[in-house]
Amino acid sequence: MDKTDLPLTAMHWGTYRAESDGKTLRALHPFEEDVDPSNIGQGFFGVLDGPTRVTAPMVRKGWLEDPDGRNRDRRGSDAFVAVSWDEVEGLIADELTRVRRDFGNEAIYAGSYGWASAGRFHHAQGHLRRFLNLNGGFTRSVNTYSLAAGEVICEHVIGGFWVAAADTTDWQSIVEHTELFVAFGGLPLRNGQISQGGTGRHRQREAMLNARANGVEFVSISPLRDDAIDALSAQWIAPRPSSDVAMILALCHCLLDEGLHDADFLARYTVGFERFADYLTGKTDGVAKTAAWAAAICEVEASAIVDLARRMHRQRTMISASWSLTRQDHGEQPFWATITLAAMLGQIGLPGGGFGLGYSAVNSMGLENRSLAHAAMPQGTNPVETYIPVARISDMLENPGAEYAYNGRTLTYPDTRMIWWAGGNPFHHHQDLNRLRQAWTAPDTVIVNDWCWTATARHADIVLPCTNPLERRDVSMGGRDPYIVAMEAVSAPPPLARDDYEIFRGLARRMGQEEAFTEGRDAEAWQRHLYALSCQRAAGEGVTLPDYDTLRERRWHKVEAPAEPNVMFQRFRADPEAHPIPTRSGKIEIWSAEIAGFGYDDCPGHVTWMEPYEWLGDAAADELHLISNQPHTKLHSQLDQGPVSQGAKRGGLERVRLNPADAAARDISEGDAVELFNARGACLARVVLDDALRRGVVQMATGAWFKPSPERPELCLNGNPNVLTADRGTSKLAQGPTAHTCLVRIRKTAQR
Ligand SMILES: Nc1nc2c(c(=O)[nH]1)N[C@H]1C(S)=C(S)[C@@H](COP(=O)(O)OP(=O)(O)OC[C@H]3O[C@@H](n4cnc5c(=O)[nH]c(N)nc54)[C@H](O)[C@@H]3O)O[C@H]1N2
Ligand SMILES: Nc1nc2c(c(=O)[nH]1)N[C@H]1C(S)=C(S)[C@@H](COP(=O)(O)OP(=O)(O)OC[C@H]3O[C@@H](n4cnc5c(=O)[nH]c(N)nc54)[C@H](O)[C@@H]3O)O[C@H]1N2
Ligand SMILES: [Mo]
């Protein structure tokens, strides 16, 4: 069979040819353009129907039984009853009207963070926001779980994270010009499997291999050896987790001390180096940030730090800092430190030199394509101005009316009476889930749109059954991914499931706003309309896209890469006056007057080493540092119920990796069922011994569906590490999540 005749479907983790009669999906084959396809999509088989599928609108029993108190403490353990769409629309319309009337729209929290699924039109959050904006608005969220601290610090230091990410020096430039590639947090190829909005061709592996073949030397700085693939023959340096900033400061100190810093670059392109230098030398605090000083903090040989600093000076060096470094206490510092170090080396704006924020964090980082700003569903205007930094949700639910600091402002938490989530899974993504579960009892009503019974759906009052990307026609076009894919519906949804668009259209009809919501368009008409807008925008950038019918007929289109490799900040380097970067000074801010002016003790005016609230440097002898990183077999919690993720578990338990020496010290062996625990909670897992882990570190991927034990509710039977992680902001600046700052203990358990 010629597979290139088959219809295409697209997900964040890849594009697939689908064998299907349009109703029943028989097979997913890799897209012929994909050189390194991901297996994650096979996780759909077996879960498109069955017990994990939501097949009808569902309402929680206790919520129906008590219209005043709503039996809120039964959320998460209560039974549900199926109702008709007509009934559920009536219940929601009444509740929305009541909450708006009695508490105002600020009382509706629809930050609704999450990845949902690929496809330009069928984006759950867009439709939710459009619908609520027609109804007076809602409290929203700002920044991401991925790198909130990175986003906020980059605003001040280089003028924004996403602008810089779109300008990332591409792999071709690295292959041709880089001599030394230093990766803090490694280059985890498993994460390069995905990209938001769709992935046509998985590029990270071939790019890394090309770089290696061209002589690029790699250094991977990470607690896990396998954060760099073996073929890179990377030098592995494994500092204590959360100590990277101390190591980078020592690298900076060494450059300064030995006169290896680029004073001309610092003078022309940066501000505030002198103040930072006074901190490095210890003039301001009496502590010189020498290699010996850092060695004691990081447990890395001082000589290795000095060697690395000298090599970085000698060679054309690209420094990468993974997003994970920002999901830690004081997570603002690692990116700021990386940029400061790169500025001292003076190679920013040169081919193959400077810094990149998260190569291989997602497939799009370093792609040779240009970023196109494609059109999305218009969301209208939100009349409510209230927002929270995304990871402050439990704080918000627990403390209505309380004031807190964020990025130079004083904000106030609203009194939340209704939560609406579409396309995200907070009972996967948030930290300290036992605390969230308690806080989650505060609102009167929780509504969730999802296609499967995630932990968040189980903790809702009303669950609206939606479709998934296999069941819809759409166009996948992710900003920097060059492939535009006409997706076809290749599987029939359960009869009562609706697209998110249709869910909100039905509700808008009930509220008397159908015309305002649809503007007279059905899904197909919207897709044509949005695609035409995207074509216009692309034309403005000099890129010609095929028209909608041609795209549908040919099934996909590849946007050609520009002729020249992209180099971050090249124009700025060539002429900083004509092409300033969008910071207050127009230059890289090694010292930020604005941040210093905020007066935050946990985020001073230049990069500063501050001990995290918990770490190996201040741990009891039996405590271990937990790395809860991204899963190889899925995207976050998506498809954890499916065969790819389930097949990678061991005897029904999530794997936890442990260094053999740490295991021996605890009388733990390969294959043992264990409990990871701390004061916040506990979860079950099965032990895999691996010397790819630095001693003192355990690693357990995120994504297992949260399942509290009925007997011991603080214990997650499925192994979701977020029962262990702490829910504290990175600092007053960004208030980002800190999942990677976490100590645990581990013990054998009799269970299973
Ligand atoms: N401990 C720890 N925790 C972490 C992290 C970590 O490193 N460690 N990483 C964090 C990061 S970086 C992130 S981005 C978050 C991710 O957190 P999320 O983005 O919330 O996780 P997902 O599992 O992708 O959730 C997406 C949800 O959308 C649903 N969905 C899919 N398609 C549709 C659709 O068309 N319509 C609707 N209505 N729903 C749909 C899926 O079934 C799923 O429930 O997790 C964070 N949490
Ligand atoms: N397959 C797959 N790919 C994904 C995702 C997924 O769920 N599945 N999620 C996507 C999303 S939303 C995001 S935001 C990105 C996230 O991309 P990252 O933030 O890079 O992801 P992580 O896997 O959490 O972390 C990468 C590595 O950082 C290392 N690390 C942790 N703490 C420290 C430290 O203190 N110091 C050093 N030097 N290293 C440390 C860990 O060993 C870890 O393996 O991944 C994306 N890619
Ligand atoms: Mo993320």
Side-chain angles (χ1 to χ4, degrees):
M1 176 180 42
D2 180 8
K3 301 206 175 67
T4 58
D5 283 343
L6 297 175
L8 285 168
T9 181
M11 304 145 197
H12 299 303
W13 46 85
T15 300
Y16 301 85
R17 293 274 175 191
E19 243 180 87
S20 160
D21 58 7
K23 293 201 172 65
T24 306
L25 181 69
R26 283 189 299 273
L28 288 173
H29 303 284
F31 179 40
E32 60 277 10
E33 292 279 303
D34 195 347
V35 288
D36 189 20
S38 165
N39 199 30
I40 293 178
Q42 308 300 333
F44 270 114
F45 287 94
V47 297
L48 292 168
D49 51 20
T52 58
R53 185 77 201 237
V54 187
T55 51
M58 304 294 278
V59 184
R60 187 169 66 80
K61 254 182 128 178
W63 186 88
L64 282 174
E65 282 164 9
D66 177 10
D68 297 322
R70 297 296 190 188
N71 293 305
R72 303 198 305 271
D73 55 344
R74 277 161 54 185
R75 254 180 216 134
S77 53
D78 213 348
F80 284 84
V81 289
V83 298
S84 68
W85 277 106
D86 186 55
E87 237 174 305
V88 85
E89 285 171 358
L91 291 171
I92 292 175
D94 289 350
E95 181 62 355
L96 193 56
T97 306
R98 181 193 72 91
V99 169
R100 290 185 60 194
R101 185 193 59 220
D102 294 354
F103 303 98
N105 280 75
E106 194 193 60
I108 303 166
Y109 180 67
S112 190
Y113 180 85
W115 271 61
S117 48
R120 204 67 201 162
F121 172 71
H122 289 291
H123 188 248
Q125 284 92 351
H127 300 304
L128 168 62
R129 291 176 196 141
R130 182 177 168 86
F131 169 73
L132 286 177
N133 285 342
L134 281 175
N135 285 284
F138 59 94
T139 294
R140 67 197 162 94
S141 61
V142 296
N143 305 137
T144 61
Y145 273 82
S146 310
L147 71 170
E151 293 171 282
V152 179
I153 196 67
C154 283
E155 269 172 40
H156 298 277
V157 176
I158 52 172
F161 171 80
W162 296 105
V163 177
D167 191 29
T168 299
T169 298
D170 69 32
W171 277 109
Q172 198 49 39
S173 179
I174 291 169
V175 170
E176 287 169 17
H177 300 281
T178 304
E179 294 168 313
L180 177 64
F181 192 115
V182 179
F184 289 91
L187 284 166
L189 190 59
R190 92 181 158 270
N191 292 356
Q193 285 182 93
I194 65 103
S195 239
Q196 192 148 38
T199 300
R201 171 193 178 104
H202 288 86
R203 169 82 178 118
Q204 298 291 324
R205 185 192 303 272
E206 66 173 355
M208 288 178 207
L209 294 179
N210 288 348
R212 181 72 198 124
N214 227 22
V216 179
E217 295 164 20
F218 287 85
V219 178
S220 177
I221 298 164
S222 166
L224 307 182
R225 192 174 57 223
D226 46 17
D227 275 337
I229 51 173
D230 287 346
L232 298 185
S233 312
Q235 178 192 351
W236 181 33
I237 299 179
R240 274 181 176 144
S242 307
S243 72
D244 301 74
V245 170
M247 183 164 160
I248 296 175
L249 286 171
L251 292 166
C252 293
H253 183 275
C254 181
L255 295 177
L256 181 65
D257 192 48
E258 300 190 6
L260 304 179
H261 62 298
D262 187 335
D264 293 339
F265 184 92
L266 292 168
R268 183 139 193 234
Y269 302 101
T270 74
V271 292
F273 178 69
E274 300 71 27
R275 288 177 196 254
F276 173 66
D278 286 348
Y279 171 71
L280 273 186
T281 56
K283 200 169 157 197
T284 46
D285 65 351
V287 181
K289 311 302 174 302
T290 61
W293 167 81
I297 294 170
C298 309
E299 292 187 331
V300 169
E301 297 272 331
S303 60
I305 299 176
V306 173
D307 281 350
L308 185 59
R310 292 178 184 154
R311 269 177 86 190
M312 291 175 123
H313 166 71
R314 247 190 348 259
Q315 297 181 288
R316 180 59 58 88
T317 300
M318 174 57 77
I319 312 171
S320 176
S322 75
W323 299 357
S324 59
L325 301 184
T326 72
R327 298 201 299 282
Q328 306 185 346
D329 193 21
H330 306 301
E332 294 81 6
Q333 303 301 317
F335 276 11
W336 204 355
T338 301
I339 296 164
T340 301
L341 172 62
M344 287 182 73
L345 289 168
Q347 301 182 19
I348 294 170
L350 295 180
F355 66 91
L357 300 173
Y359 284 100
S360 202
V362 287
N363 184 57
S364 57
M365 291 304 284
L367 284 193
E368 288 83 352
N369 195 38
R370 61 186 100 216
S371 290
L372 293 173
H374 299 306
M377 186 73 176
Q379 295 173 9
T381 319
N382 186 352
V384 175
E385 283 174 10
T386 313
Y387 64 87
I388 59 164
V390 70
R392 293 297 105 238
I393 179 164
S394 291
D395 280 349
M396 171 184 77
L397 296 174
E398 285 174 359
N399 305 297
E403 291 192 337
Y404 63 103
Y406 168 73
N407 200 12
R409 277 152 253 175
T410 300
L411 303 178
T412 307
Y413 288 122
D415 181 6
T416 307
R417 311 310 291 232
M418 178 187 262
I419 293 180
W420 202 324
W421 227 289
N425 187 357
F427 279 91
H428 151 71
H429 67 229
H430 194 55
Q431 283 57 67
D432 200 347
L433 291 180
N434 290 315
R435 178 184 174 206
L436 177 65
R437 204 166 186 231
Q438 202 53 46
W440 198 257
T441 59
D444 303 331
T445 298
V446 178
I447 308 175
V448 169
N449 298 20
D450 211 310
W451 65 275
C452 49
W453 279 108
T454 63
T456 301
R458 294 204 175 279
H459 284 79
D461 302 319
I462 299 178
V463 184
L464 301 176
C466 66
T467 54
N468 66 45
L470 292 171
E471 299 161 349
R472 310 187 280 242
R473 246 166 103 88
D474 206 338
V475 178
S476 131
M477 39 201 326
R480 198 159 174 169
D481 195 279
Y483 289 88
I484 297 176
V485 176
M487 303 161 62
E488 300 295 342
V490 294
S491 179
L496 290 181
R498 290 183 178 176
D499 297 343
D500 292 285
Y501 179 68
E502 293 302 329
I503 292 175
F504 291 111
R505 178 219 277 255
L507 287 162
R509 187 184 308 127
R510 188 57 82 110
M511 309 288 286
Q513 307 150 330
E514 185 175 8
E515 178 59 29
F517 184 76
T518 64
E519 296 179 39
R521 294 189 182 98
D522 63 8
E524 182 69 18
W526 271 112
Q527 287 179 33
R528 279 182 182 276
H529 172 68
L530 295 175
Y531 183 78
L533 286 178
S534 296
C535 289
Q536 273 174 25
R537 287 191 191 180
E541 301 280 319
V543 175
T544 309
L545 301 182
D547 67 35
Y548 186 80
D549 292 314
T550 310
L551 177 74
R552 282 262 165 233
E553 191 187 318
R554 295 188 191 153
R555 299 205 190 278
W556 60 275
H557 173 78
K558 184 181 181 193
V559 178
E560 281 314 313
E564 291 299 310
N566 191 63
V567 175
M568 186 196 265
F569 290 171
Q570 197 167 30
R571 294 189 332 148
F572 170 60
R573 186 177 182 111
D575 189 344
E577 283 74 39
H579 303 290
I581 57 170
T583 55
R584 293 220 308 185
S585 59
K587 297 181 177 187
I588 297 170
E589 303 222 341
I590 291 178
W591 179 78
S592 161
E594 191 171 28
I595 294 179
F598 297 158
Y600 294 153
D601 53 353
D602 51 7
C603 192
H606 57 66
V607 176
T608 305
W609 161 251
M610 289 162 279
E611 279 194 29
Y613 56 75
E614 58 188 61
W615 69 303
L616 288 177
D618 186 23
D622 60 342
E623 282 181 312
L624 297 158
H625 184 106
L626 172 68
I627 300 285
S628 55
N629 53 2
Q630 308 293 22
H632 180 68
T633 53
K634 54 186 171 275
L635 173 64
H636 315 130
S637 70
Q638 297 196 45
L639 302 179
D640 182 47
Q641 74 276 36
V644 178
S645 177
Q646 292 297 322
K649 309 215 178 199
R650 275 229 177 159
L653 292 179
E654 193 64 39
R655 295 157 177 250
V656 60
R657 289 199 296 166
L658 199 61
N659 181 292
D662 288 325
R666 289 162 181 77
D667 195 25
I668 287 174
S669 312
E670 173 82 17
D672 280 351
V674 290
E675 201 176 297
L676 277 70
F677 65 101
N678 60 23
R680 295 177 285 265
C683 70
L684 295 182
R686 198 175 301 282
V687 168
V688 173
L689 299 183
D690 198 337
D691 69 2
L693 279 78
R694 179 199 201 282
R695 272 210 70 175
V697 169
V698 284
Q699 180 263 328
M700 187 170 166
T702 55
W705 282 11
F706 174 58
K707 186 180 178 194
S709 151
E711 294 81 36
R712 275 177 63 198
E714 83 286 0
L715 173 74
C716 174
L717 300 172
N718 279 350
N720 183 320
N722 275 327
V723 292
L724 302 162
T725 54
D727 176 14
R728 283 173 53 167
T730 50
S731 80
K732 297 182 195 72
L733 190 82
Q735 297 284 7
T738 56
H740 279 312
T741 299
C742 182
L743 294 177
V744 298
R745 291 182 165 87
I746 185 166
R747 65 180 165 226
K748 272 200 264 197
T749 165
Q751 274 168 302
R752 302 200 215 188

